[in-house]
């Protein structure tokens, strides 16, 4: 397993992410599943359930969160790294909408006067990745010029995200202004600092300032940096099921494949083993592999700070056979 790099953030010795680091727990196959992402700027404090426990109108937040979930997507709140005063500028609230994650990812952005304008999103078309219908329904949106990296800093969900995520987000934002945002809970605070790279929905673990900047620079080419490959950092693409995430991450590392959309992966349960899946990975150059993956139980570790240890699990990816 990959050795743990040093210096990717600070936290108390007993914090959940520190314990998972010490256990060298692998990250692949742990990305939150989402067919699309909606990221809405909301300055100020966030509660545990940020969509309804912030200065965003709770009815608007609850409605957007429900509509995203019903159509297979995820809503995040975002804010600019640094101080969290709830100041509202004349430019409105920034929103990013990422879709087409299966094979042709796209990212839209706007500065909205009212967050409720997002209620006009055509949710089935968004889930299907139809950018034209989305733009027709919400004409305030336009194609974003650059990818963005969202770093989880939602301390009310887990303190690791604030203590480890905020310094990374701030330093990376200073290096690449306007392209890094703090965000609410993405899942996986045990891998803090965690991030989501839009538009691809690529989810990352154990970020540090240098890696965050490398990720953004590589994303300009539609790639991941080589340093992000492997079980220490690559949690997987959100559009995939967990076993497919794990298999794709393993094969990406094996091939040294940096292109974010070069691989497509599907998973089917193994009819002979309830803990295993059969995955098919296709490369856009025509190659195709069959891979078996098993879910294994592991050590007992706390999944959140202050929680009792529970049995953990990881994925064991078998050899890839060309088909």
């Amino acid at each position: 397993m990959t050795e743990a790099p040093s210096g990717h953030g600070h936290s108390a010795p007993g914090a959940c992410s520190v314990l998972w680091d010490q256990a060298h727990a692998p990250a692949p196959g742990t990305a939150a599943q989402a067919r699309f992402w909606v990221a809405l700027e909301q300055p100020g404090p966030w509660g545990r359930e940020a969509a309804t426990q912030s200065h965003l109108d709770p009815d608007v937040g609850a409605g957007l969160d429900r509509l995203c979930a019903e159509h297979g997507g995820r809503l995040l709140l975002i804010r600019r790294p640094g101080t969290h005063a709830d100041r509202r500028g004349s430019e409105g609230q920034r929103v990013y909408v990422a879709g087409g994650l299966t094979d042709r990812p796209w990212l839209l952005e706007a500065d909205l006067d009212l967050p409720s304008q997002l209620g006009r999103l055509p949710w089935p078309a968004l889930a299907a990745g139809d950018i034209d219908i989305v733009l027709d329904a919400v004409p305030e949106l336009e194609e974003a010029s650059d990818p963005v990296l969202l770093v989880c800093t939602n301390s009310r969900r887990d303190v690791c995200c604030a203590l480890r995520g905020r310094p990374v987000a701030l330093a990376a934002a200073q290096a690449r202004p306007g392209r890094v945002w703090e965000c609410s809970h993405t899942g996986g605070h045990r891998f803090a600092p965690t991030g989501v790279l839009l538009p691809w929905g690529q989810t990352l673990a154990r970020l540090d300032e240098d890696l965050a900047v490398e990720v953004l620079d590589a994303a300009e080419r539609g790639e991941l940096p080589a340093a992000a490959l492997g079980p220490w950092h690559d949690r997987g693409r959100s559009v995939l099921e967990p076993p497919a995430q794990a298999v794709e991450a393993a094969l990406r590392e094996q091939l040294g494949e940096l292109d974010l959309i070069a691989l497509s992966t599907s998973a089917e349960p193994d009819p002979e083993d309830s803990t295993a899946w059969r995955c098919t990975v296709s490369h856009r150059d025509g190659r195709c592999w069959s891979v078996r993956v098993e879910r294994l139980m592991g050590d007992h570790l706390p999944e959140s700070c202050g929680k009792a240890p529970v049995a953990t699990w990881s994925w064991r990816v078998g050899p890839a056979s060309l088909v």
Side-chain angles (χ1 to χ4, degrees):
M1 186 173 295
T2 305
E3 276 299 308
S6 61
H8 70 275
H10 301 284
S11 196
C16 67
S17 62
V18 173
L19 297 174
W20 280 68
D21 287 356
Q22 292 170 346
H24 289 211
T30 65
Q33 286 187 258
R35 298 172 66 183
F36 62 86
W37 295 82
V38 177
L40 172 64
E41 182 181 6
Q42 180 54 61
W46 301 331
R48 178 178 174 80
E49 303 296 334
T52 55
Q53 296 174 341
S54 68
H55 292 176
L56 177 66
D57 183 315
D59 291 334
V60 171
L64 292 174
D65 194 45
R66 175 181 55 80
L67 287 165
C68 283
E70 286 178 353
H71 292 86
R74 290 287 298 264
L75 172 72
L76 295 177
L77 297 191
I78 58 174
R79 59 193 175 196
R80 300 169 197 273
T83 57
H84 293 160
D86 194 3
R87 291 190 290 268
R88 174 80 178 275
S90 58
E91 72 278 4
Q93 290 170 260
R94 176 64 56 87
V95 62
Y96 293 101
V97 179
L101 306 189
T102 301
D103 54 1
R104 303 176 75 89
W106 44 260
L107 183 64
L108 305 177
E109 65 181 358
D111 291 314
L112 299 180
D113 295 326
L114 296 171
S116 58
Q117 291 171 272
L118 288 174
R120 303 202 312 266
L121 282 168
W123 301 99
L126 178 54
D130 194 324
I131 187 173
D132 293 328
I133 294 178
V134 173
L135 287 170
D136 286 344
V138 187
E140 294 89 349
L141 292 168
E142 60 184 22
E143 292 194 54
S145 57
D146 295 300
V148 294
L149 179 64
L150 313 182
V151 179
C152 182
T153 63
N154 198 168
S155 63
R156 292 300 181 93
R157 290 298 293 248
D158 195 278
V159 69
C160 282
C161 295
L163 292 180
R164 305 188 105 174
R166 288 194 67 195
V168 169
L170 180 59
Q174 291 170 342
R176 298 293 181 267
R179 299 183 56 201
V180 182
W181 295 78
E182 295 187 12
C183 73
S184 56
H185 181 60
T186 62
H189 33 256
R190 60 197 184 278
F191 297 113
T194 61
V196 179
L197 179 64
L198 298 183
W200 298 275
Q202 172 66 45
T203 307
L204 298 157
R206 301 174 174 122
L207 289 169
D208 59 29
E209 173 191 348
D210 291 339
L211 181 59
V213 172
E214 285 187 62
V215 165
L216 284 167
D217 290 349
E220 291 285 351
R221 306 185 298 273
E223 297 179 349
L224 279 177
L229 304 187
W232 193 251
H233 296 298
D234 186 356
R235 298 182 65 195
R237 291 193 296 135
S238 68
V239 74
L240 302 177
E241 296 179 87
Q245 294 172 8
V247 166
E248 186 173 281
L251 192 55
R252 182 183 294 281
E253 182 188 24
Q254 180 181 328
L255 298 173
E257 179 57 70
L258 305 182
D259 190 311
L260 278 157
I261 58 172
L263 302 176
S264 59
T265 308
S266 60
E268 295 289 342
D270 188 329
E272 299 177 356
D273 185 346
S274 62
T275 67
W277 282 257
R278 294 281 182 179
C279 295
T280 301
V281 186
S282 300
H283 195 287
R284 66 180 179 186
D285 65 9
R287 286 177 292 171
C288 186
W289 298 266
S290 176
V291 186
R292 186 175 184 272
V293 59
E294 297 175 85
R295 180 167 164 159
L296 303 178
M297 301 307 294
D299 297 334
H300 282 67
L301 293 168
E303 290 190 313
S304 295
C305 291
K307 297 291 183 66
V310 297
T312 64
W313 53 268
S314 61
W315 299 100
R316 181 167 65 190
V317 178
S321 301
L322 276 169
V323 295

